[in-house]
Amino acid sequence: MEKRKIKILVLSKQNKYSEKYISSLSEFFDVHFNSDPNNLNQTIKRLEPQWVFALHWGYKIEKSIYLNYNCVSFHTGNLPDDRGGSPIQNQIINGKLISMVNAIKIDEPIDSGDIYLSEQISLQGSIADIFELIIPICIDFTKKIILDGIKPKPQIGKSNTYKRKKNNELVLKSISSIYDQIRMLDGLDYPKSYINLGGYIFEFSRAKLDGENIIADVKISKK
C-alpha cells in the first residue's frame, strides 16, 4: 500500500510565485491552497492539515489556529530586528543590501516566533528579482522542516517592528533613493511608485541606474 503523503495547506495570494512553490512541493506532499482569509477557518476544519505554511500572506492567523496546527510563515529580515509589515521595502529604504529569508513558527507578537531555518539573500534588483531568490529557498525550507524534522530555535536580541508601508508616492530625495523606491514596488501585486503632477499620475517601473540618471518605464494617466 502506498504511504499517504503529509497534508499541507499553503496560505498565499494567487501569483506565479505561489504556483511555483505549490508545484515544486506537490511531488513530496499532499498540497492544498487557500488565498481567501475569510475562508481560512472553514478550510482548516475541512482539511485538518498537518502543516500550514504562509507565503506572502499578509493576514493575521488566529491564535486558535496556530496553537492547534503546525503553522510556519516566511519572513525576509534580520530577525528580531526586521519584524513587522513591508519588511523588504523598509529594509531597502534603510539602505540594506543583504537580508535573511526565515522560516518561523507563527506566534504573537507578529514575527516573534522561533526560527526553523534562515538563509542570506541580496536585496538588490526589483521586488520581482528578490522574490525569484526567495521562492526556491522557501521550497527548500519546507521540505527540510517536514522531512528532516527541523526544530525551531528562539530569536535572540533586541527587536524592532516596522509599520506596513501604505503610501507609494515617490519622495524625491536623491537619484539612488528614487531608484530604490521604484524597484522595491516593481512586481507582484504591489502598486507602482508614482508622482502626482499637474493633474496626472506618473507610475514607474523597470528602473535602471545609468550613472547619475534613472531609466524607467512610465505610465501616465489622468488623475
Side-chain angles (χ1 to χ4, degrees), residues 118-180:
S118 298
E119 185 170 325
Q120 188 179 86
I121 63 161
S122 168
L123 292 181
Q124 300 185 66
S126 68
I127 190 68
D129 295 329
I130 295 169
F131 259 79
E132 289 291 346
L133 300 176
I134 290 174
I135 294 303
I137 295 173
C138 293
I139 293 167
D140 181 57
F141 281 3
T142 302
K143 290 191 288 186
K144 285 181 177 177
I145 289 169
I146 297 175
L147 300 177
D148 297 344
I150 301 294
K151 302 298 182 186
K153 297 180 180 179
Q155 298 182 29
I156 299 174
K158 186 178 180 180
S159 66
N160 171 66
T161 302
Y162 293 124
K163 291 184 178 179
R164 186 172 298 280
K165 191 178 186 305
K166 296 181 179 179
N167 184 9
N168 58 321
E169 186 169 5
L170 282 170
V171 178
L172 305 179
K173 288 183 178 180
S174 65
I175 289 294
S176 61
S177 172
I178 294 169
Y179 168 68
D180 283 342

Side-chain angles (χ1 to χ4, degrees), residues 33-221:
F33 176 70
N34 183 78
S35 62
D36 185 354
N38 297 316
N39 290 338
L40 183 53
N41 284 326
Q42 300 95 307
T43 302
I44 290 278
K45 290 177 181 178
R46 174 174 57 84
L47 291 174
E48 289 290 330
Q50 289 149 287
W51 288 87
V52 177
F53 288 89
L55 176 76
H56 188 55
W57 180 236
Y59 302 102
K60 184 177 180 180
I61 295 176
E62 295 179 8
K63 193 172 185 179
S64 60
I65 294 176
Y66 69 72
L67 286 181
N68 291 289
Y69 297 88
N70 296 308
C71 294
V72 180
S73 68
F74 298 105
H75 183 84
T76 301
N78 295 286
L79 295 173
D81 189 47
D82 297 316
R83 297 177 182 174
S86 308
I88 296 175
Q89 287 77 18
N90 278 304
Q91 288 173 86
I92 289 174
I93 289 172
N94 291 335
K96 295 184 180 181
L97 300 177
I98 299 292
S99 189
M100 303 291 289
V101 178
N102 306 277
I104 60 177
K105 185 178 178 66
I106 293 178
D107 206 341
E108 291 182 1
I110 187 170
D111 303 323
S112 66
D114 295 352
I115 300 175
Y116 286 93
L117 292 163
S118 298
E119 185 170 325
Q120 188 179 86
I121 63 161
S122 168
L123 292 181
Q124 300 185 66
S126 68
I127 190 68
D129 295 329
I130 295 169
F131 259 79
E132 289 291 346
L133 300 176
I134 290 174
I135 294 303
I137 295 173
C138 293
I139 293 167
D140 181 57
F141 281 3
T142 302
K143 290 191 288 186
K144 285 181 177 177
I145 289 169
I146 297 175
L147 300 177
D148 297 344
I150 301 294
K151 302 298 182 186
K153 297 180 180 179
Q155 298 182 29
I156 299 174
K158 186 178 180 180
S159 66
N160 171 66
T161 302
Y162 293 124
K163 291 184 178 179
R164 186 172 298 280
K165 191 178 186 305
K166 296 181 179 179
N167 184 9
N168 58 321
E169 186 169 5
L170 282 170
V171 178
L172 305 179
K173 288 183 178 180
S174 65
I175 289 294
S176 61
S177 172
I178 294 169
Y179 168 68
D180 283 342
Q181 291 175 73
I182 296 172
R183 72 182 180 89
M184 74 185 189
L185 294 172
D186 191 10
L188 292 168
D189 53 354
Y190 293 109
K192 296 287 189 288
S193 294
Y194 74 94
I195 56 174
N196 182 356
L197 184 63
Y200 291 88
I201 299 295
F202 296 73
E203 294 179 311
F204 298 90
S205 60
R206 293 166 55 88
K208 302 291 181 184
L209 277 178
D210 181 22
E212 293 300 313
N213 302 302
I214 298 172
I215 299 173
D217 292 347
V218 183
K219 176 184 175 182
I220 305 172
S221 56

